[in-house]
């Protein structure tokens, strides 16, 4: 190659717009319905839809409809639509998920864009809505157990490797992130730079089933995003208030919630946060990390210890009474 041409090409490459500049813009300006303390007195729409942009929708189930109040994400490509998670409510009369999603798909009734439903993981609050789509044409639902996930996405060396979903002019990358759940997946949309992290990473409690797998996932996702532009990290729930305090569990009212989006910087800090996890229960900044099974075992062991102590106390008391009675009789 001639030096001049090489120099011109080099300058051209340097001046090429960065990948950041190419991300499709969107808006996170939304006020999520907070639910209510008395849902009967203050009924709210069961499902809220926020258009991030014309091809990307964020759906949220109201805390009055389910205490989990999960988020779901709908991405439209030119040949296919993708729904990430289907929420906590199976009954279409209580939660109009399928009808809402279908109404957002372009095309008339018979010629709707085909829909693929995938999940971040198999906990029921992320897949109960699958039932509403079963009878619909041109809808495929991917299972959530590890065998299904590995086979569908072609992960030969789980949890390594990155799969792709081609929606037509829109590629979504799929990264294994086990730890909260054995087949947990995180999705990255190249078009918007959004990362959908489910319950692996969110403004809330990080429930960690397998600490070693979770730490490895954190490093894997940090390596993955370090090569890519990232607009927002969007998880499966909001469980913190605006001050970073945990909202009470099981409540139907989420006043002053922490914003849903987390930043690339937040995510890059995850390995350091997880390094403080003692395997049972730890806190670091806004994050509470715990292993539910071990907490239950610990609670169970505590209850048994208290019962044993009470039993021993009662036995000692009875023995003392008996010996007093014997003394008096003697
Ligand atoms: Zn979960
Ligand atoms: Zn969840």
């Amino acid at each position: 190659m001639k030096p001049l041409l090489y120099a011109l090409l080099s300058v051209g490459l340097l001046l090429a717009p960065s990948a950041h500049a190419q991300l499709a813009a969107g808006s996170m300006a939304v006020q999520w319905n907070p639910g209510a303390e008395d849902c009967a007195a203050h009924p709210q729409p069961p499902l809220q839809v926020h258009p991030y942009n014309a091809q990307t929708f964020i759906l949220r189930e109201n805390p009055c409809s389910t205490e989990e109040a999960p988020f779901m994400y709908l991405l439209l490509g030119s040949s296919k639509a993708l729904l990430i998670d289907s929420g906590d409510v199976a009954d279409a009369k209580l939660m109009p998920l399928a009808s809402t999603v279908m109404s957002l798909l372009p095309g008339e009734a018979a010629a709707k864009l085909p829909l693929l439903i995938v999940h971040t993981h198999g906990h029921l609050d992320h897949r109960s809505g699958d039932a509403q789509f079963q009878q619909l044409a041109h809808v495929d639902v991917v299972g959530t157990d590890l065998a299904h996930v590995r086979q569908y996405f072609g992960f030969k060396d789980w949890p390594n490797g990155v799969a792709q979903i081609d929606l037509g002019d829109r590629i979504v990358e799929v990264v294994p992130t086990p730890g909260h759940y054995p087949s947990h997946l995180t999705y990255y949309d190249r078009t918007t730079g959004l990362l959908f992290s489910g319950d692996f990473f969110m403004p809330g409690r990080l429930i960690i089933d397998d600490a070693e797998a979770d730490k490895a996932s954190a490093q894997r996702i940090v390596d993955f995003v370090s090569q890519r532009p990232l607009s927002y990290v969007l998880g499966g729930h909001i469980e913190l208030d605006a001050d970073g305090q945990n909202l009470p569990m099981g409540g139907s009212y989420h006043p002053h919630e922490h914003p849903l989006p987390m930043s690339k910087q937040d995510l890059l800090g995850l390995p350091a946060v997880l390094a403080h996890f003692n395997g049972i229960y730890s806190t670091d900044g806004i994050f509470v990390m715990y292993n539910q099974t071990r907490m239950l075992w610990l609670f169970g062991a505590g209850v048994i210890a208290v019962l044993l102590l009470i039993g021993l106390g009662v036995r000692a008391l009875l023995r003392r009474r008996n010996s007093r009675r014997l003394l008096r009789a003697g």
Side-chain angles (χ1 to χ4, degrees):
M1 193 183 289
K2 288 177 184 160
L4 181 62
L5 183 60
Y6 181 76
L8 282 173
L9 271 176
S10 303
V11 170
L13 282 174
L14 285 174
L15 292 178
S18 73
H20 274 275
Q22 292 167 355
L23 289 180
S27 164
M28 281 307 308
V30 54
Q31 186 71 50
W32 299 111
N33 293 331
E37 272 170 351
D38 184 349
C39 293
H42 303 98
Q44 308 208 349
L47 189 62
Q48 186 174 358
V49 181
H50 168 64
Y52 178 78
N53 62 28
Q55 280 82 38
T56 310
F57 300 88
I58 305 176
L59 297 89
R60 205 264 176 101
E61 292 184 343
N62 192 278
C64 274
S65 298
T66 155
E67 62 187 34
E68 299 286 353
F71 288 87
M72 297 154 283
Y73 302 96
L74 179 65
L75 315 181
L76 309 183
S78 62
S79 61
K80 202 189 284 183
L82 182 73
L83 179 65
I84 301 173
D85 285 347
S86 63
D88 194 31
V89 185
D91 189 341
K93 290 196 266 320
L94 301 174
M95 181 59 64
L97 178 69
S99 55
T100 303
V101 167
M102 298 316 274
S103 74
L104 292 168
L105 300 185
E108 292 308 311
K112 284 278 184 196
L113 204 61
L115 175 67
L116 177 68
I117 302 178
V118 296
H119 310 84
T120 55
H121 63 296
H123 285 152
L124 279 173
D125 53 316
H126 299 265
R127 66 178 167 95
S128 292
D130 287 0
Q132 297 187 18
F133 294 88
Q134 267 163 7
Q135 305 302 325
L136 301 178
H138 312 299
V139 178
D140 280 329
V141 182
V142 180
T144 55
D145 61 284
L146 188 54
H148 261 102
V149 166
R150 286 184 69 161
Q151 196 241 329
Y152 183 84
F153 292 106
F155 288 113
K156 293 200 166 54
D157 183 28
W158 178 273
N160 298 307
V162 175
Q164 288 188 5
I165 303 171
D166 187 351
L167 302 178
D169 304 313
R170 189 171 194 176
I171 300 284
V172 175
E173 294 184 275
V174 188
V175 186
T177 44
H180 171 78
Y181 190 87
S183 56
H184 196 291
L185 297 169
T186 290
Y187 298 86
Y188 173 75
D189 175 28
R190 281 189 193 166
T191 300
T192 56
L194 293 171
L195 187 85
F196 306 101
S197 53
D199 288 4
F200 165 67
F201 189 63
M202 60 172 177
R205 302 170 188 89
L206 304 182
I207 301 175
I208 300 166
D209 184 47
D210 181 337
E212 287 318 304
D214 209 67
K215 287 174 185 175
S217 292
Q219 196 52 55
R220 194 178 307 113
I221 208 78
V222 162
D223 293 343
F224 176 84
V225 300
S226 66
Q227 312 292 327
R228 289 160 174 83
L230 209 158
S231 48
Y232 298 109
V233 183
L234 304 176
H237 308 267
I238 299 174
E239 295 173 348
L240 301 176
D241 67 17
D243 299 324
Q245 300 296 314
N246 275 282
L247 291 163
M249 281 174 103
S252 59
Y253 186 41
H254 286 206
H256 317 299
E257 278 183 330
H258 191 281
L260 170 66
M262 302 188 75
S263 69
K264 184 171 186 170
Q265 213 52 38
D266 293 329
L267 186 61
L268 293 178
L270 183 60
V273 169
L274 293 174
H276 294 139
F277 181 46
N278 66 10
I280 300 171
Y281 181 95
S282 307
T283 59
D284 187 299
I286 61 168
F287 296 107
V288 173
M289 301 162 266
Y290 62 90
N291 180 307
Q292 220 160 13
T293 318
R294 288 192 184 161
M295 292 270 286
L296 277 173
W297 272 105
L298 219 60
F299 179 72
V303 168
I304 289 169
V306 168
L307 288 176
L308 263 174
L309 283 174
I310 292 173
L312 286 172
V314 168
R315 201 170 72 160
L317 205 71
L318 287 175
R319 272 191 182 168
R320 217 176 297 158
R321 257 192 215 170
N322 280 348
S323 56
R324 260 187 234 149
R325 215 177 287 157
L326 283 171
L327 273 175
R328 260 183 254 141

